[in-house]
Amino acid sequence: MKKQMRKKGILMSVFMGAIMGLVFTIFAQIKNQGRIIPMGIVISILISMVISLLVGLIIPVRKVTEATCKLLKISPDKRLVVGLASAFVFNLIFTPPNCCINMWYGMAMGLQDVPPTVTNVFQKMAFCAGLEYFVPALISTLLIDLVIGFFLTFFASPFVNKLTDKMCGIKRA
């Protein structure tokens, strides 16, 4: 059972990362560029999946959520309140790294005043990591992504939870 739960946690991280990456990328592209770039969406989804997988492997989200509910004295029979707390915790764990790295990548790809000699993507990312570019954009984007991420997590995670239960062979009563 422990192996199934570990597999389920990894799958949940990857699927939720993909969903968050898709929504955050579409929103960011419309907000910043006024249009959608399909290849940018694909790359951002892949980045989000990798980030979410790494974060999910490092941080035991279920244990953190249970500890938070225990700390707030939320009983497990209050499903709506537990769902809200779970979405809040999940959002605070996964949204900031996804937002920061995807925004950094997006800025590197869209930055117009990069010297023409800088052609490597990693050099572009280093160029736009300067505080004068990154911090103002980060603050506004992160705040908006936290709000969007909360609602996205609250509404999408039950469906992803059921899907990963089926994939891992976990039967719920």
Side-chain angles (χ1 to χ4, degrees):
M1 184 65 165
K2 189 172 184 167
K3 199 173 191 178
Q4 288 176 316
M5 292 305 285
R6 180 88 170 140
K7 182 180 175 185
K8 176 192 163 84
I10 291 170
L11 287 173
M12 280 282 294
S13 295
V14 170
F15 288 150
M16 288 302 293
I19 292 169
M20 291 174 97
L22 174 67
V23 172
F24 290 164
T25 303
I26 290 173
F27 173 76
Q29 285 187 4
I30 291 172
K31 177 182 167 258
N32 296 329
Q33 298 168 346
R35 65 188 198 285
I36 295 175
I37 303 167
M39 197 59 200
I41 291 174
V42 170
I43 292 170
S44 290
I45 289 172
L46 292 174
I47 290 171
S48 292
M49 289 171 70
V50 170
I51 293 167
S52 296
L53 178 63
L54 293 174
V55 170
L57 288 173
I58 295 169
I59 300 172
V61 179
R62 185 179 185 117
K63 290 180 182 177
V64 174
T65 301
E66 288 172 356
T68 303
C69 288
K70 192 174 188 178
L71 182 70
L72 297 174
K73 298 178 179 152
I74 300 171
S75 63
D77 60 331
K78 296 182 178 177
R79 295 184 76 172
L80 178 63
V81 180
V82 170
L84 290 170
S86 177
F88 184 73
V89 168
F90 189 93
N91 190 34
L92 285 180
I93 292 172
F94 284 90
T95 299
N98 272 315
C99 175
C100 291
I101 293 174
N102 273 313
M103 193 186 82
W104 187 25
Y105 173 76
M107 284 180 70
M109 295 301 96
L111 205 58
Q112 298 299 320
D113 56 349
V114 176
T117 57
V118 178
T119 56
N120 183 324
V121 67
F122 296 109
Q123 290 174 331
K124 285 184 178 184
M125 289 173 82
F127 183 82
C128 78
L131 294 178
E132 69 276 4
Y133 292 112
F134 194 68
V135 172
L138 175 65
I139 292 170
S140 68
T141 304
L142 185 58
L143 290 174
I144 293 167
D145 281 357
L146 283 169
V147 172
I148 293 170
F150 174 76
F151 289 107
L152 183 66
T153 304
F154 181 71
F155 291 113
S157 63
F159 299 109
V160 174
N161 195 15
K162 287 179 184 176
L163 175 68
T164 54
D165 278 350
K166 283 183 183 178
M167 291 175 75
C168 295
I170 299 171
K171 305 235 188 294
R172 300 274 177 172

